[in-house]
Amino acid sequence: MSAAAASLRRLASGNTFWPLAMLGFLLLFNLVSNPQFFAITVKDGHLYGSVIDILNRASPLMIIAMGLTLVIATRGIDISVGAVVAISGAVAAVLIGGELSPSGGTGMADATRVPLPIVIWSALGVALALGMWNGALVSLFGMQPIIATLILLVTGRGIAQLITGGQIITIYYSPYHFIGNGFLLGIPVSLFIVAAVSAVVWLLTRKTALGMFIEAIGVNPVASRLAGIRARTITFACYAVCGLCAGIAGLIVSSNVKSADGNNAGLLFELDAILAVVLGGTSLSGGKFTLAGSVIGALIIQTLTTTIYSAGVPPEVNLVVKALVVFLITIVQSQKVRDLIAKQRTRRVVTP
């Protein structure tokens, strides 16, 4: 019995145990309320179902959460990711053009002003530049992360609307739609993009010393710098990667809705991304981080959103629930609460 209890205790102490438990609870609740929740159908060689919809719609958030995880691990924060999503989509839409072109005089065929590869690389290049801007303000000029990224949060929406001329640009180019609406081997293309980003970030942080350096910076920036770690360079790179991830998410979002809206695209993504990272087990105080936990956290948020909508609850309640979750998680992660829990465990062990 004691061996089983010890095994359960070790399992519960894992980084992803509680996020997985929370996700499992939400899925079980949906299964009870809707027996067809896990049903997956095949239409025209494509997979459809509630689970597929959750994975597909969570893909932009999963990508942003992975980039934001690196920033938070360095004791930073980036609240401008939603604005970068809007700017990325706006750049792509403007380069493609929001109009149809005549085809043979008898019909209309989609067209683009600029070749699609240039559209994608241009949008990602702008997003990367914005991430580097945040990184420069934090690592080179020493600004507080929340203030540095607040600048882009405020101005980013304006920049996106300037790019689009204050209009919602409809994207008619069907090859671009493939990014957010296409299927490959029956699976949404966006999930392949998530897998590719996850593999790259995981290899860079877990198969090299970079991940250890990031955690060292988050634990003690001064000590890590004195130990020879290029803290400023690594911090700068983390913000750049976060901007790039937001840019990729912007392409998926604009492709999925087939338009670019500088005012509403990526709205409140920063809240969802921070919540996903925290739910995944990465502390806002920096240090040790888990990419898998952040991905699970994003799935929890999308599953929670789907649950609330399917239950017929007004959408406004979704924001209240997210705010309460952020509040509770922040309280639990505070050092005083952790010390109190540790004392309670010690008393239980000492008491015969």
Side-chain angles (χ1 to χ4, degrees), residues 171-245:
I171 302 174
Y172 296 99
Y173 191 51
S174 57
Y176 183 75
H177 300 163
F178 185 75
I179 299 174
N181 291 291
F183 287 82
L184 186 61
L185 301 177
I187 302 173
V189 172
S190 59
L191 297 183
F192 286 97
I193 299 176
V194 171
V197 174
S198 302
V200 172
V201 177
W202 182 79
L203 287 173
L204 288 176
T205 57
R206 295 310 181 193
K207 292 301 180 180
T208 69
L210 180 60
M212 183 179 62
F213 292 161
I214 292 174
E215 292 180 350
I217 294 171
V219 172
N220 194 322
V222 177
S224 62
R225 189 162 53 248
L226 294 176
I229 298 175
R230 296 184 176 182
R232 292 183 178 179
T233 302
I234 294 176
T235 301
F236 175 84
C238 288
Y239 280 92
V241 170
C242 186
L244 181 61
C245 288

XYZ file of all heavy atoms in Angstrom, residues 171-245:
566
model
N -9.810 37.788 -47.818
C -8.770 37.092 -48.586
C -9.441 36.030 -49.455
O -10.040 35.086 -48.943
C -7.736 36.447 -47.646
C -7.102 37.510 -46.749
C -6.659 35.719 -48.451
C -6.178 36.954 -45.687
N -9.337 36.184 -50.778
C -9.991 35.260 -51.704
C -9.041 34.194 -52.246
O -9.471 33.299 -52.964
C -10.581 36.038 -52.889
C -11.668 37.005 -52.503
C -11.396 38.359 -52.348
C -12.967 36.563 -52.289
C -12.393 39.243 -51.995
C -13.982 37.445 -51.938
C -13.683 38.794 -51.793
O -14.674 39.669 -51.441
N -7.781 34.301 -51.922
C -6.766 33.414 -52.504
C -6.848 32.044 -51.841
O -6.415 31.864 -50.696
C -5.391 34.042 -52.337
C -4.302 33.371 -53.113
C -4.433 33.112 -54.471
C -3.103 33.025 -52.497
C -3.421 32.512 -55.195
C -2.077 32.431 -53.208
C -2.249 32.171 -54.551
O -1.243 31.578 -55.275
N -7.377 31.046 -52.529
C -7.633 29.731 -51.930
C -6.373 29.003 -51.466
O -6.425 28.292 -50.453
C -8.429 28.855 -52.906
O -7.750 28.725 -54.136
N -5.215 29.107 -52.135
C -4.022 28.436 -51.586
C -3.645 28.931 -50.190
O -3.131 28.161 -49.374
C -2.930 28.768 -52.613
C -3.671 28.955 -53.895
C -4.948 29.620 -53.496
N -3.931 30.201 -49.920
C -3.650 30.728 -48.580
C -4.606 30.134 -47.552
O -4.240 29.930 -46.388
C -3.763 32.249 -48.591
C -3.414 32.907 -47.269
C -2.088 33.020 -46.858
C -4.404 33.416 -46.435
C -1.763 33.618 -45.647
C -4.090 34.015 -45.224
C -2.767 34.111 -44.846
O -2.448 34.701 -43.644
N -5.833 29.842 -47.969
C -6.821 29.254 -47.066
C -6.375 27.879 -46.573
O -6.829 27.422 -45.519
C -8.172 29.115 -47.771
C -8.737 30.417 -48.248
N -9.748 30.496 -49.177
C -8.404 31.698 -47.937
C -10.031 31.768 -49.415
N -9.231 32.516 -48.670
N -5.510 27.221 -47.326
C -5.057 25.879 -46.977
C -4.337 25.862 -45.627
O -4.360 24.853 -44.916
C -4.132 25.357 -48.074
C -3.700 23.930 -47.892
C -4.573 22.884 -48.140
C -2.415 23.622 -47.462
C -4.183 21.569 -47.962
C -2.014 22.323 -47.283
C -2.901 21.277 -47.537
N -3.725 26.990 -45.243
C -2.969 27.043 -43.986
C -3.886 26.808 -42.790
O -3.566 26.041 -41.877
C -2.242 28.398 -43.849
C -1.251 28.583 -44.990
C -1.538 28.495 -42.497
C -0.595 29.955 -45.007
N -5.026 27.474 -42.774
C -5.922 27.374 -41.622
C -7.126 26.493 -41.823
O -7.795 26.130 -40.847
N -7.434 26.137 -43.076
C -8.627 25.341 -43.348
C -8.344 24.034 -44.083
O -9.257 23.231 -44.275
C -9.619 26.157 -44.198
C -10.219 27.316 -43.427
O -10.997 27.132 -42.507
N -9.834 28.526 -43.796
N -7.097 23.844 -44.498
C -6.771 22.664 -45.283
C -6.583 21.418 -44.447
O -6.477 21.464 -43.213
N -6.556 20.285 -45.133
C -6.340 18.985 -44.488
C -5.211 18.254 -45.206
O -5.065 18.365 -46.429
C -7.613 18.136 -44.542
C -8.694 18.595 -43.608
C -9.545 19.631 -43.960
C -8.857 17.991 -42.367
C -10.550 20.054 -43.107
C -9.861 18.411 -41.503
C -10.708 19.443 -41.872
N -4.439 17.532 -44.431
C -3.365 16.715 -44.966
C -3.450 15.347 -44.295
O -3.405 15.250 -43.068
C -2.002 17.366 -44.688
C -0.779 16.699 -45.319
C -0.886 16.708 -46.839
C 0.500 17.396 -44.874
N -3.630 14.315 -45.100
C -3.834 12.959 -44.576
C -5.041 12.903 -43.647
O -5.077 12.135 -42.677
C -2.579 12.480 -43.835
C -1.281 12.442 -44.659
C -0.106 12.017 -43.791
C -1.426 11.511 -45.861
N -6.043 13.727 -43.945
C -7.266 13.753 -43.156
C -7.196 14.596 -41.904
O -8.192 14.785 -41.216
N -6.021 15.132 -41.588
C -5.812 15.911 -40.370
C -5.626 17.383 -40.741
O -4.984 17.693 -41.750
C -4.576 15.397 -39.610
C -4.764 13.918 -39.270
C -4.322 16.207 -38.342
C -3.531 13.273 -38.659
N -6.178 18.316 -39.947
C -6.002 19.739 -40.247
C -4.529 20.130 -40.367
O -3.687 19.689 -39.573
C -6.656 20.439 -39.048
C -7.685 19.463 -38.577
C -7.088 18.104 -38.800
N -4.222 20.954 -41.362
C -2.841 21.379 -41.609
C -2.278 22.125 -40.405
O -1.081 22.043 -40.107
C -2.785 22.261 -42.876
C -1.406 22.880 -43.053
C -3.158 21.441 -44.106
N -3.131 22.868 -39.704
C -2.665 23.641 -38.553
C -2.020 22.759 -37.492
O -1.083 23.188 -36.807
C -3.834 24.416 -37.933
O -4.857 23.526 -37.513
N -2.482 21.521 -37.365
C -1.886 20.616 -36.376
C -0.484 20.179 -36.794
O 0.382 19.953 -35.943
C -2.787 19.399 -36.176
C -4.177 19.688 -35.600
C -4.949 18.399 -35.387
C -4.059 20.463 -34.290
N -0.253 20.068 -38.098
C 1.101 19.773 -38.570
C 2.033 20.953 -38.288
O 3.220 20.763 -37.968
C 1.079 19.462 -40.068
C 0.500 18.114 -40.403
C -0.824 17.990 -40.786
C 1.274 16.966 -40.317
C -1.363 16.749 -41.092
C 0.750 15.711 -40.623
C -0.575 15.606 -41.002
N 1.494 22.166 -38.413
C 2.300 23.355 -38.097
C 2.646 23.367 -36.612
O 3.790 23.657 -36.227
C 1.538 24.634 -38.492
C 1.267 24.645 -39.993
C 2.329 25.873 -38.077
C 0.425 25.823 -40.458
N 1.671 23.034 -35.765
C 1.926 22.954 -34.321
C 3.004 21.914 -34.026
O 3.922 22.151 -33.229
C 0.627 22.608 -33.563
C 0.925 22.318 -32.093
C -0.373 23.737 -33.673
N 2.910 20.762 -34.671
C 3.896 19.702 -34.459
C 5.287 20.143 -34.880
O 6.284 19.864 -34.192
C 3.484 18.448 -35.228
N 5.378 20.859 -36.008
C 6.679 21.324 -36.492
C 7.289 22.345 -35.533
O 8.479 22.268 -35.190
C 6.526 21.927 -37.887
N 6.482 23.307 -35.090
C 6.976 24.314 -34.145
C 7.390 23.656 -32.833
O 8.441 23.987 -32.261
C 5.905 25.395 -33.898
C 6.354 26.362 -32.802
C 5.616 26.164 -35.187
N 6.576 22.723 -32.357
C 6.894 22.025 -31.104
C 8.218 21.273 -31.212
O 9.041 21.318 -30.287
C 5.777 21.037 -30.744
O 4.542 21.684 -30.626
N 8.421 20.605 -32.338
C 9.649 19.832 -32.521
C 10.871 20.748 -32.529
O 11.887 20.439 -31.884
C 9.575 19.037 -33.828
N 10.776 21.866 -33.227
C 11.917 22.783 -33.310
C 12.242 23.373 -31.941
O 13.408 23.385 -31.501
C 11.633 23.900 -34.333
C 12.727 24.965 -34.274
C 11.539 23.326 -35.744
N 11.220 23.874 -31.252
C 11.450 24.500 -29.941
C 11.953 23.468 -28.939
O 12.851 23.746 -28.134
C 10.158 25.171 -29.434
C 10.369 25.757 -28.039
C 9.712 26.271 -30.387
N 11.382 22.260 -28.981
C 11.817 21.215 -28.046
C 13.270 20.821 -28.297
O 14.053 20.659 -27.351
C 10.907 19.997 -28.183
C 11.248 18.891 -27.223
C 10.914 18.811 -25.903
C 12.022 17.720 -27.514
N 11.419 17.653 -25.354
C 12.107 16.960 -26.329
C 12.635 17.238 -28.671
C 12.784 15.762 -26.252
C 13.305 16.028 -28.600
C 13.377 15.304 -27.406
N 13.637 20.662 -29.553
C 15.011 20.289 -29.869
C 15.992 21.377 -29.419
O 17.070 21.072 -28.893
C 15.158 20.049 -31.377
C 14.525 18.756 -31.916
C 14.595 18.728 -33.435
C 15.206 17.532 -31.331
N 15.621 22.636 -29.605
C 16.518 23.731 -29.232
C 16.674 23.866 -27.723
O 17.753 24.223 -27.232
C 16.002 25.049 -29.812
C 16.133 25.233 -31.328
C 15.482 26.538 -31.770
C 17.600 25.207 -31.756
N 15.603 23.573 -26.987
C 15.646 23.799 -25.538
C 15.959 22.552 -24.726
O 16.397 22.665 -23.574
C 14.298 24.376 -25.051
O 13.225 23.492 -25.412
C 14.044 25.740 -25.671
N 15.740 21.366 -25.288
C 15.956 20.145 -24.515
C 17.097 19.282 -25.034
O 17.554 18.392 -24.319
C 14.666 19.313 -24.481
C 13.514 19.999 -23.750
C 13.935 20.502 -22.400
N 12.841 21.154 -21.667
C 13.015 21.883 -20.575
N 14.232 22.060 -20.079
N 11.979 22.453 -19.971
N 17.535 19.508 -26.228
C 18.659 18.749 -26.774
C 19.923 19.594 -26.888
O 20.937 19.129 -27.398
C 18.291 18.174 -28.146
C 17.213 17.097 -28.082
C 17.657 15.931 -27.212
C 16.595 14.853 -27.138
N 17.015 13.708 -26.304
N 19.842 20.823 -26.427
C 21.016 21.689 -26.327
C 21.020 22.308 -24.931
O 20.089 22.115 -24.148
C 20.996 22.801 -27.397
O 19.948 23.735 -27.093
C 20.780 22.232 -28.794
N 22.049 23.063 -24.646
C 22.146 23.714 -23.330
C 21.279 24.961 -23.236
O 21.201 25.578 -22.168
C 23.603 24.080 -23.046
N 20.610 25.341 -24.322
C 19.825 26.574 -24.328
C 18.735 26.560 -23.268
O 18.514 27.565 -22.580
C 19.211 26.795 -25.713
C 18.359 28.059 -25.880
C 19.190 29.303 -25.601
C 17.750 28.112 -27.272
N 18.038 25.431 -23.144
C 16.973 25.353 -22.148
C 17.493 25.574 -20.741
O 16.860 26.268 -19.929
N 18.642 25.005 -20.426
C 19.237 25.178 -19.107
C 19.648 26.626 -18.880
O 19.478 27.175 -17.791
C 20.459 24.258 -18.955
C 21.112 24.309 -17.593
S 22.514 23.183 -17.472
C 23.619 23.872 -18.728
N 20.162 27.270 -19.919
C 20.541 28.678 -19.810
C 19.317 29.551 -19.549
O 19.367 30.489 -18.740
C 21.243 29.141 -21.089
C 22.598 28.512 -21.292
C 23.194 28.514 -22.557
C 23.289 27.930 -20.251
C 24.433 27.947 -22.755
C 24.540 27.354 -20.432
C 25.112 27.363 -21.695
N 18.211 29.261 -20.246
C 16.983 30.042 -20.059
C 16.487 29.908 -18.624
O 16.106 30.901 -17.981
C 15.903 29.582 -21.057
C 16.303 29.956 -22.485
C 14.548 30.196 -20.713
C 15.364 29.424 -23.554
N 16.504 28.678 -18.105
C 16.057 28.465 -16.734
C 16.985 29.150 -15.741
O 16.527 29.696 -14.724
C 15.977 26.970 -16.446
C 14.873 26.264 -17.227
C 14.795 24.779 -16.924
O 15.728 24.271 -16.255
O 13.826 24.127 -17.345
N 18.282 29.146 -16.020
C 19.241 29.813 -15.130
C 18.994 31.314 -15.092
O 19.062 31.947 -14.029
C 20.668 29.526 -15.596
N 18.686 31.893 -16.237
C 18.389 33.328 -16.293
C 17.138 33.635 -15.477
O 17.067 34.646 -14.769
C 18.213 33.779 -17.755
C 19.542 33.652 -18.502
C 17.697 35.211 -17.829
C 19.422 33.861 -19.997
N 16.128 32.765 -15.575
C 14.901 32.979 -14.829
C 15.088 32.846 -13.329
O 14.460 33.569 -12.550
N 15.967 31.948 -12.912
C 16.215 31.763 -11.484
C 16.988 32.937 -10.912
O 16.624 33.491 -9.866
C 16.980 30.444 -11.244
C 17.408 30.337 -9.776
C 16.115 29.256 -11.634
N 18.057 33.340 -11.585
C 18.884 34.462 -11.110
C 19.628 35.075 -12.291
O 20.682 34.575 -12.691
C 19.874 33.984 -10.045
C 20.501 35.143 -9.292
O 20.807 36.179 -9.854
N 20.713 34.950 -7.993
N 19.114 36.157 -12.866
C 19.751 36.767 -14.037
C 21.175 37.245 -13.772
O 22.052 37.079 -14.620
C 18.825 37.956 -14.362
C 17.530 37.634 -13.693
C 17.879 36.849 -12.481
N 21.405 37.821 -12.594
C 22.736 38.354 -12.279
C 23.750 37.222 -12.152
O 24.847 37.276 -12.722
C 22.686 39.179 -10.975
C 24.093 39.668 -10.608
C 21.742 40.366 -11.131
N 23.388 36.171 -11.404
C 24.301 35.047 -11.215
C 24.591 34.351 -12.537
O 25.736 33.940 -12.798
C 23.715 34.060 -10.213
N 23.588 34.209 -13.376
C 23.801 33.548 -14.664
C 24.736 34.372 -15.549
O 25.582 33.817 -16.255
C 22.458 33.340 -15.373
O 21.832 34.587 -15.642
N 24.611 35.691 -15.477
C 25.500 36.542 -16.262
C 26.932 36.449 -15.744
O 27.890 36.397 -16.529
C 24.994 37.987 -16.220
C 25.713 38.915 -17.186
C 24.922 40.186 -17.452
N 24.540 40.886 -16.246
C 23.292 41.014 -15.814
N 22.299 40.432 -16.475
N 23.017 41.682 -14.705
N 27.083 36.407 -14.422
C 28.419 36.273 -13.838
C 29.020 34.898 -14.130
O 30.249 34.750 -14.148
C 28.351 36.494 -12.325
C 27.974 37.910 -11.872
C 27.845 37.971 -10.359
C 28.997 38.935 -12.362
N 28.171 33.913 -14.361
C 28.646 32.565 -14.676
C 29.051 32.418 -16.144
O 29.501 31.344 -16.549
C 27.566 31.545 -14.337
N 28.912 33.470 -16.907
C 29.340 33.435 -18.303
C 28.222 33.237 -19.306
O 28.465 33.142 -20.511
N 26.973 33.144 -18.820
C 25.835 32.990 -19.727
C 25.488 34.347 -20.333
O 25.402 35.348 -19.619
C 24.615 32.409 -18.980
C 24.943 31.023 -18.430
C 23.397 32.347 -19.896
C 23.836 30.429 -17.575
N 25.294 34.377 -21.630
C 24.920 35.624 -22.295
C 23.430 35.889 -22.074
O 22.597 35.653 -22.956
C 25.240 35.549 -23.784
C 26.735 35.422 -24.068
C 27.009 35.461 -25.554
N 28.428 35.425 -25.846
C 28.935 35.487 -27.071
N 28.120 35.564 -28.113
N 30.249 35.459 -27.251
N 23.123 36.398 -20.889
C 21.731 36.557 -20.485
C 20.980 37.506 -21.407
O 19.838 37.248 -21.790
C 21.667 37.059 -19.042
N 21.608 38.611 -21.781
C 20.920 39.594 -22.626
C 20.632 39.026 -24.010
O 19.545 39.222 -24.552
C 21.764 40.858 -22.730
C 21.875 41.643 -21.426
C 22.670 42.917 -21.610
N 22.725 43.689 -20.376
C 23.376 44.837 -20.250
N 24.033 45.337 -21.300
N 23.371 45.472 -19.091
N 21.605 38.321 -24.565
C 21.419 37.744 -25.900
C 20.320 36.695 -25.896
O 19.472 36.658 -26.800
C 22.734 37.113 -26.389
O 23.752 38.111 -26.409
C 22.562 36.541 -27.785
N 20.312 35.844 -24.886
C 19.308 34.788 -24.809
C 17.921 35.378 -24.557
O 16.923 34.946 -25.151
C 19.678 33.770 -23.720
C 20.961 33.027 -24.121
C 18.539 32.784 -23.482
C 21.476 32.076 -23.074
N 17.842 36.377 -23.683
C 16.560 37.043 -23.440
C 16.038 37.686 -24.711
O 14.850 37.581 -25.048
C 16.708 38.098 -22.334
O 17.172 37.471 -21.132
C 15.387 38.786 -22.067
N 16.923 38.353 -25.430
C 16.565 38.970 -26.710
C 16.024 37.915 -27.678
O 14.984 38.117 -28.338
C 17.795 39.657 -27.303
C 17.580 40.239 -28.674
C 17.031 41.506 -28.833
C 17.928 39.514 -29.805
C 16.837 42.037 -30.097
C 17.736 40.036 -31.067
C 17.191 41.303 -31.224
N 16.681 36.772 -27.742
C 16.263 35.702 -28.653
C 14.904 35.130 -28.246
O 14.084 34.790 -29.106
C 17.313 34.596 -28.673
N 14.640 35.020 -26.944
C 13.360 34.481 -26.483
C 12.200 35.373 -26.921
O 11.149 34.876 -27.359
C 13.365 34.329 -24.961
S 14.401 32.978 -24.356
N 12.370 36.672 -26.804
C 11.318 37.591 -27.249
C 11.158 37.540 -28.771
O 10.027 37.642 -29.283
C 11.631 39.020 -26.803
C 11.277 39.289 -25.368
C 12.215 39.113 -24.347
C 10.002 39.708 -25.010
C 11.891 39.352 -23.021
C 9.667 39.949 -23.687
C 10.623 39.775 -22.701
O 10.292 39.999 -21.377
N 12.260 37.377 -29.483
C 12.180 37.265 -30.939
C 11.406 36.010 -31.346
O 10.553 36.049 -32.245
C 13.586 37.246 -31.535
N 11.690 34.890 -30.675
C 10.977 33.643 -30.965
C 9.499 33.781 -30.627
O 8.632 33.291 -31.365
C 11.605 32.470 -30.184
C 10.737 31.225 -30.279
C 13.001 32.175 -30.703
N 9.186 34.464 -29.533
C 7.796 34.673 -29.149
C 7.054 35.472 -30.219
O 5.916 35.153 -30.576
C 7.727 35.390 -27.802
S 6.053 35.549 -27.131
N 7.704 36.513 -30.752
C 7.097 37.291 -31.828
C 6.882 36.452 -33.075
O 5.847 36.555 -33.742
N 7.862 35.597 -33.392
C 7.746 34.732 -34.564
C 6.586 33.742 -34.396
O 5.824 33.504 -35.341
C 9.056 33.976 -34.777
C 9.112 33.026 -35.982
C 8.896 33.783 -37.275
C 10.450 32.290 -36.022
N 6.445 33.179 -33.203
C 5.339 32.262 -32.945
C 3.994 32.966 -33.092
O 3.037 32.400 -33.641
C 5.470 31.663 -31.542
S 6.807 30.462 -31.362
